[in-house]
Amino acid sequence: MSSSAKSDVEIEIEKKFAVSDQTSAILKSYGFEVVQKEEFVDWYFDLPAPQWKFCLDDCWFRYREKKVKILNNWGWRGAWQVKRGRKGTRDTDGMTTYEELQGKAAKELILDLLSAATANESIEIKNESNSQYNSHDIPHLDGGEQLVPFARIETFRTSWGAATSNEFSGLKVDIDKADSGYMVGEVEALFDGISSQEDVEKEKGKIRKFVDLITREGESDAETATIGKLEFVLMKEFPDLYNACIKAGVINEPN
């Protein structure tokens, strides 16, 4: 596994789990400690409804704004990101494998995919598609005017890492609380884009084992797939898109 991937593409493997009152104590018992706390806002984009194209192909365009301290003041700094599903992206237990790109590489991929998708058709932009976000400063991508936001999620994240060397060293644990109040944990590993499938499968085994330990001691069920923040928002606020994603096979049907 690469500790500082230089490739434009990273491979992210993760499995989500339900957060309990015991989660922090359990993580500490396995030698993990808090390494970072951060606040960010994720905007998700696609073509206007009902012409969703990219998310139904398991390709997610996201603009992430992070709260950062600049000199003595707090501000926001953003970057475009793409999460693109690989073959066998989503296992039955909720384990996922995605290619991730950020910054310039992400913007170039978004524009290339958008150009290919709209080359032979006219996409009409409807102002009402953005009406729910009129009070916000919506991110803009030059050349990507056909894209509209379909979700906005504010998140407070606490990240945990191994303080001592053990079998789970190298894994990262994030505990997220969204502005909706929904909380979810995830155990993840990152690889560069040229890592072998053998390495990926080995890390999947470590993640599964760790999630099983966390959830078993927290008295929840590791076999029941926990939904992510975006799935929660789609299920509650955008059922048409949520059901379309299930039909397309990019979201597992709830247990």
Side-chain angles (χ1 to χ4, degrees):
M1 184 168 58
S2 171
S3 60
S4 57
K6 300 299 183 183
S7 171
D8 285 341
V9 180
E10 285 188 321
I11 307 302
E12 179 198 61
I13 311 165
E14 71 174 33
K15 183 168 168 47
K16 301 185 187 301
F17 62 90
V19 177
S20 72
D21 293 339
Q22 293 82 39
T23 298
S24 293
I26 293 168
L27 291 174
K28 290 177 182 177
S29 74
Y30 286 100
F32 277 64
E33 64 180 11
V34 174
V35 295
Q36 185 180 28
K37 292 186 177 184
E38 59 182 339
E39 180 181 351
F40 55 86
V41 176
D42 286 334
W43 291 84
Y44 289 88
F45 291 81
D46 207 316
L47 297 178
Q51 301 172 95
W52 309 299
K53 159 65 179 171
F54 303 105
C55 57
L56 299 187
D57 289 336
D58 208 9
C59 187
W60 306 86
F61 298 166
R62 179 170 72 191
Y63 188 81
R64 173 165 291 181
E65 298 173 307
K66 290 188 177 183
K67 190 174 184 178
V68 296
K69 195 167 188 179
I70 304 172
L71 298 177
N72 294 322
N73 298 308
W74 288 95
W76 296 87
R77 182 172 294 161
W80 286 93
Q81 302 176 336
V82 175
K83 291 187 66 168
R84 183 163 58 173
R86 308 182 89 198
K87 184 178 181 180
T89 290
R90 190 176 296 266
D91 297 346
T92 55
D93 64 351
M95 178 87 71
T96 59
T97 306
Y98 279 92
E99 295 178 348
E100 289 198 344
L101 296 89
Q102 298 194 52
K104 182 180 179 181
K107 289 194 290 186
E108 291 176 350
L109 179 58
I110 291 171
L111 294 177
D112 286 347
L113 293 174
L114 184 60
S115 176
T118 60
N120 298 316
E121 56 184 303
S122 176
I123 303 298
E124 180 184 357
I125 304 300
K126 299 179 180 180
N127 292 333
E128 61 265 31
S129 297
N130 290 336
S131 60
Q132 68 196 107
Y133 301 119
N134 282 346
S135 62
H136 299 283
D137 186 10
I138 300 171
H140 172 78
L141 176 62
D142 288 338
E145 287 76 19
Q146 298 100 324
L147 298 173
V148 296
F150 64 86
R152 179 184 182 276
I153 305 172
E154 298 179 29
T155 300
F156 295 88
R157 168 170 289 177
T158 302
S159 297
W160 296 71
T164 58
S165 180
N166 58 55
E167 65 176 307
F168 302 117
S169 297
L171 298 181
K172 179 188 174 190
V173 180
D174 291 329
I175 307 297
D176 288 351
K177 183 175 183 180
D179 51 341
S180 62
Y182 182 66
M183 288 190 69
V184 64
E186 58 188 35
V187 179
E188 69 172 34
L190 289 174
F191 294 82
D192 60 38
I194 57 174
S195 296
S196 70
Q197 188 61 31
E198 182 181 356
D199 287 339
V200 170
E201 292 302 321
K202 182 179 178 181
E203 213 68 10
K204 279 186 176 183
K206 286 172 58 177
I207 292 173
R208 282 195 174 94
K209 182 176 181 180
F210 198 26
V211 170
D212 182 62
L213 291 169
I214 294 170
T215 53
R216 190 192 318 159
E217 296 184 28
E219 300 182 349
S220 57
D221 186 1
E223 297 302 317
T224 300
T226 302
I227 67 173
K229 302 186 300 293
L230 179 57
E231 289 175 63
F232 180 84
V233 168
L234 294 182
M235 183 173 62
K236 298 293 185 182
E237 300 182 17
F238 307 101
D240 289 346
L241 178 53
Y242 177 73
N243 291 328
C245 286
I246 290 178
K247 185 176 180 180
V250 300
I251 290 178
N252 290 342
E253 289 196 61
N255 295 321

